[in-house]
Amino acid sequence: MKEIIAINTAKDYSMCLRDAVENFTKELINDVFDEHYQLIHGENTKQKFLKILERLAISEGEVLWNEFKNSFFDIRKKLDLDALAALNNDPAAKSLEEIYLAYPGFYAIAVYRLSHQLLLLNLPVLPRMMSEFAHRYTGTDIHPGAEIGESFFIDHATGIVIGETTIIKNNVQIFQGVTLGGLQVKKSLASTKRHPTIQNNVTIYANATILGGNVVIGENSVIGANVCIRESIPENSVVTVQYENIIFKKN
């Protein structure tokens, strides 16, 4: 009976902490994008951060917050480039405001860039909890350990998976259902590069799957819809699946 009570208590604690991280992430996004909001609510965001670290038994919260906050300007700069990439690449986009306020892919990227910075500060758990919030909220699963360059655009952010050791260079565009994953799921491979590298100026269309840590997609390449890749692709390549539609009249 004592073991059951202990397990239930741990579950309750975890759920409460998850809610706290979700609220913190929402406020953090507002802080980064709205200076007026930050002036009024910034101290509250900081206190939420410190309480989360306290519950995770992490010391030096003030120092970590100051280091994290000092990165806001650079993160915002990258996010503005991401938004501009969306505006320039999506024919349906009419304004930057639309990107910032209505594009779930952009929101997922924003949470990724913030959680990635926290991971660089060697914070455990919190970056993953933030990324899982974005996953549930947007349908896009970006591990905070991935390395993603400038001007990254996710079009129709649903069912996208970007693994922990993925490297994505600059000016990359991906569509719904894209998986950048590993060939095997083994704990013994945890410290190795398990996910692909995507070079500059690559477009990856819907439901494409690219697997393997040694796989490199060369610059200026286009990966077509429904393609499955397990080997490197040279630069300036176009990869497509050959299939034929059969059209006939009903009886």
Side-chain angles (χ1 to χ4, degrees):
M1 179 64 72
K2 287 183 179 179
E3 288 182 0
I4 293 174
I5 293 172
I7 290 171
N8 287 337
T9 302
K11 286 182 179 178
D12 293 341
Y13 176 85
S14 297
M15 293 298 287
C16 290
L17 184 56
R18 189 181 77 169
D19 290 343
V21 170
E22 289 185 7
N23 289 329
F24 163 71
T25 304
K26 291 175 184 177
E27 286 202 10
L28 188 60
I29 294 288
N30 290 334
D31 281 356
V32 169
F33 284 102
D34 189 334
E35 291 182 6
H36 180 69
Y37 185 95
Q38 186 179 141
L39 286 172
I40 297 174
H41 301 282
E43 183 60 28
N44 187 43
T45 309
K46 173 185 173 181
Q47 291 306 316
K48 287 185 176 181
F49 177 80
L50 296 178
K51 286 180 181 178
I52 289 168
L53 294 197
E54 183 181 342
R55 294 178 70 175
L56 292 172
I58 299 170
S59 59
E60 299 185 339
E62 290 276 355
V63 173
L64 290 166
W65 173 257
N66 289 332
E67 287 188 47
F68 182 43
K69 189 174 180 181
N70 288 337
S71 68
F72 284 7
F73 179 80
D74 288 337
I75 290 173
R76 174 62 192 271
K77 216 168 146 186
K78 288 180 180 178
L79 288 171
D80 286 341
L81 290 173
D82 296 328
L84 189 60
L87 182 64
N88 290 337
N89 285 290
D90 186 0
K94 302 298 187 292
S95 67
L96 282 172
E97 287 80 9
E98 185 179 353
I99 307 299
Y100 290 122
L101 298 174
Y103 274 51
F106 179 75
Y107 193 94
I109 294 169
V111 175
Y112 155 75
R113 295 210 182 276
L114 290 162
S115 62
H116 179 72
Q117 184 61 37
L118 288 171
L119 195 66
L120 293 178
L121 295 175
N122 296 315
L123 282 176
V125 185
L126 177 56
R128 286 292 285 125
M129 292 178 74
M130 291 172 63
S131 68
E132 279 309 305
F133 161 65
H135 182 195
R136 291 193 304 275
Y137 190 70
T138 68
T140 296
D141 186 3
I142 309 177
H143 194 288
E147 297 179 20
I148 300 177
E150 297 179 348
S151 301
F152 181 47
F153 172 41
I154 297 174
D155 199 352
H156 302 295
T158 304
I160 289 169
V161 177
I162 299 176
E164 179 186 18
T165 60
T166 303
I167 296 174
I168 298 175
K169 298 297 182 68
N170 300 324
N171 301 307
V172 170
Q173 176 180 3
I174 67 176
F175 286 74
Q176 68 271 20
V178 166
T179 297
L180 304 178
L183 280 170
Q184 299 183 53
V185 182
K186 291 183 178 179
K187 196 65 178 179
S188 59
L189 299 175
S191 60
T192 64
K193 188 175 187 313
R194 310 182 306 281
H195 307 96
T197 295
I198 313 299
Q199 298 286 14
N200 297 318
N201 308 313
V202 170
T203 298
I204 306 174
Y205 283 104
N207 300 314
T209 300
I210 304 174
L211 304 176
N214 294 324
V215 171
V216 177
I217 305 301
E219 289 193 3
N220 307 310
S221 290
V222 175
I223 308 302
N226 303 310
V227 166
C228 183
I229 293 176
R230 298 187 179 190
E231 58 185 22
S232 293
I233 303 298
E235 63 182 24
N236 300 310
S237 296
V238 176
V239 184
T240 63
V241 173
Q242 295 295 323
Y243 61 88
E244 181 180 357
N245 291 325
I246 300 174
I247 303 172
F248 58 91
K249 290 185 178 180
K250 294 190 291 184
N251 292 330

